[in-house]
Amino acid sequence: MTDRKTDWQDKIDARVQRWVRDDIRKLAAYPVPDSSGLLKLDAMENPFTWPPELQQQWQAALADVHVNRYPHPEAPEVKQGLRRVMDIDERWDLLLGNGSDELIQLIAMAVAGKGRTLMAPEPSFVMYRMIAQYLGMDYVGVPLTERFEIDLESMLARIDSEQPALIFLAQPNNPTGNLWGDEKLRRIIEAAPGLVVMDEAYTAFTDADYLSWLDDYPNLLILRTLSKVGLAGLRLGMLIGDPAWTTEINKLRLPYNIGNLVQAAATFALDHFETFEQQTQELVKQRADLTQQLKALPQLTVYDSQANFVLVRTESGRAGAIHQGLKDAGVLIKKLDGSHAMLADCLRITVGSSRENARLLVALTPLL
């Protein structure tokens, strides 16, 4: 029996090695740690649930949704709600995705080709690099400065030499949390020969807003998501821009990618968006308090953030032990040490409620 199982596995392995691309087999899947029983401060989620009366109304709305039929392919009610709460002009098209990750992939697919390059400052959102690898694109990461600022001269030089088909600019940047300044961003967009996508996943936590820049640049698209404001479980991202771009990208979208339940829940949430705006403003306040408290702790370098997380750097070689110590104490944060050379000894902490942040600090302080 053992010999038969070994022979069977050998046959499977031989076919996998023959038919799955070598570069894919060398990759690791995106890691999502088990957070069971832990205070979850690792994934930039809104910690607040909905008020009980709003939950009851939402459940009643979902009771009228029938899942025996396919969803509307364009989710018009969701788009109408997004236009209203985000003040999106009718000139611009909206393309919805199963989270912004799907849209990043669709955008890259639309411009991918032999010798085509995807570019982004680094460190930034890891999916830019991963999706470029999936599609066989050349990926160029342009290093940020020691303080995680854009090195404009270096960025412009690489744009000139690489002629990227696609540039992603995350503002605020993940995982550093900072903004890079309008002048630098405009210079990059103006120098880009191809498409530039401004990834505004964390726009709810900053005053920076680049939607109006669509009037200025024909090669710009805006990417947003509802995940960070309190709807992470819906997986709903949106791409905003000129129909000339979105029409082509939409050809690559799989049909019915936004299900009936997601459309109904998102439409309801957008009709009550003031609740999420209030929660977001509370998180901005908590971010300021948490940043101040972290800066008061010894042996931590704390980076100011415009997002719903705070990046910290520990003393050399201590990040792993602190991460594990927090986990042992029931608190899960993100260990970035080892993910990128510029993030050595770094940890990323999601801003939680006042009670959650207090629990984090109690657990963290004796570990330093």
Side-chain angles (χ1 to χ4, degrees):
M1 185 66 177
T2 301
D3 290 342
R4 183 176 182 277
K5 288 180 64 177
T6 301
D7 182 58
W8 180 262
Q9 190 62 51
D10 288 344
K11 289 179 179 179
I12 293 175
D13 291 343
R15 283 165 174 78
V16 168
Q17 291 179 25
R18 179 181 178 184
W19 295 112
V20 178
R21 284 166 29 198
D22 288 345
D23 57 328
I24 296 298
R25 286 191 286 113
K26 291 175 182 177
L27 292 174
Y30 187 86
V32 179
D34 182 10
S35 60
S36 302
L38 301 175
L39 169 57
K40 201 169 185 299
L41 297 177
D42 68 318
M44 291 86 75
E45 297 150 316
N46 178 337
F48 304 117
T49 56
W50 299 6
E53 64 276 11
L54 199 60
Q55 289 216 25
Q56 292 173 6
Q57 295 173 36
W58 169 61
Q59 290 165 6
L62 292 184
D64 292 331
V65 177
H66 301 292
V67 295
N68 59 310
R69 302 293 185 185
Y70 287 113
H72 193 294
E74 297 297 329
E77 293 183 355
V78 177
K79 290 181 179 181
Q80 182 181 6
L82 289 169
R83 288 189 185 279
R84 184 179 66 253
V85 303
M86 296 185 181
D87 196 21
I88 301 171
D89 193 281
E90 291 292 337
R91 288 174 299 161
W92 311 126
D93 195 16
L94 268 170
L95 182 61
L96 303 183
N98 182 16
S100 57
D101 291 349
E102 182 187 26
L103 293 168
I104 293 169
Q105 186 170 33
L106 293 178
I107 297 164
M109 288 171 66
V111 300
K114 185 176 181 181
R116 297 282 181 92
T117 296
L118 188 157
M119 180 179 290
E122 278 203 343
S124 193
F125 187 35
V126 67
M127 292 307 299
Y128 307 149
R129 173 178 52 79
M130 292 181 69
I131 286 173
Q133 290 178 297
Y134 299 160
L135 299 176
M137 296 182 75
D138 296 328
Y139 176 76
V140 174
V142 182
L144 298 171
T145 68
E146 288 187 3
R147 293 296 301 179
F148 302 123
E149 299 293 340
I150 286 275
D151 183 335
L152 185 59
E153 287 189 14
S154 177
M155 190 77 183
L156 294 178
R158 294 304 295 274
I159 290 172
D160 183 60
S161 64
E162 302 291 343
Q163 293 292 290
L166 177 59
I167 299 174
F168 281 100
L169 299 170
Q171 286 292 271
N173 187 42
N174 173 23
T176 60
N178 59 325
L179 297 167
W180 292 320
D182 288 4
E183 182 180 353
K184 291 181 179 180
L185 295 172
R186 287 187 180 275
R187 292 280 302 278
I188 291 168
I189 298 169
E190 290 162 2
L195 182 59
V196 178
V197 177
M198 196 78 77
D199 187 346
E200 292 190 300
Y202 301 92
T203 189
F205 305 97
T206 177
D207 291 333
D209 184 336
Y210 303 97
L211 190 61
S212 65
W213 288 24
L214 290 173
D215 287 315
D216 301 333
Y217 302 108
N219 61 330
L220 179 66
L221 294 175
I222 303 294
L223 183 66
R224 291 182 175 179
T225 178
L226 294 182
S227 292
K228 312 308 176 187
V229 299
L231 300 169
L234 294 187
R235 305 297 296 133
L236 187 65
M238 65 229 59
L239 185 66
I240 309 164
D242 193 283
W245 285 112
T246 56
T247 297
E248 300 303 321
I249 296 167
N250 190 44
K251 295 173 183 177
L252 300 166
R253 178 177 62 92
L254 296 177
Y256 310 119
N257 64 327
I258 310 299
N260 282 329
L261 291 172
V262 173
Q263 290 190 34
T267 299
F268 178 86
L270 291 166
D271 285 340
H272 299 85
F273 205 66
E274 66 279 359
T275 296
F276 304 99
E277 291 175 324
Q278 293 166 6
Q279 292 176 352
T280 297
Q281 288 308 304
E282 173 62 18
L283 288 174
V284 170
K285 176 183 178 297
Q286 291 302 323
R287 179 185 69 200
D289 293 345
L290 178 62
T291 299
Q292 183 179 11
Q293 291 166 321
L294 288 169
K295 286 183 176 181
L297 296 177
Q299 302 155 348
L300 279 185
T301 300
V302 181
Y303 298 90
D304 289 329
S305 174
Q306 292 289 308
N308 64 338
F309 58 83
V310 180
L311 182 71
V312 302
R313 193 185 301 273
T314 70
E315 288 188 314
S316 180
R318 293 280 297 133
I322 292 172
H323 177 265
Q324 185 60 50
L326 285 172
K327 192 173 180 180
D328 292 342
V331 179
L332 181 64
I333 64 172
K334 180 72 172 181
K335 184 172 79 72
L336 296 171
D337 178 63
S339 65
H340 190 282
M342 295 185 68
L343 295 172
D345 306 308
C346 283
L347 303 167
R348 188 188 64 203
I349 302 168
T350 299
V351 177
S353 66
S354 58
R355 180 176 297 180
E356 290 173 339
N357 295 338
R359 181 177 165 188
L360 163 78
L361 292 164
V362 168
L364 176 61
T365 302
L367 297 172
L368 299 176

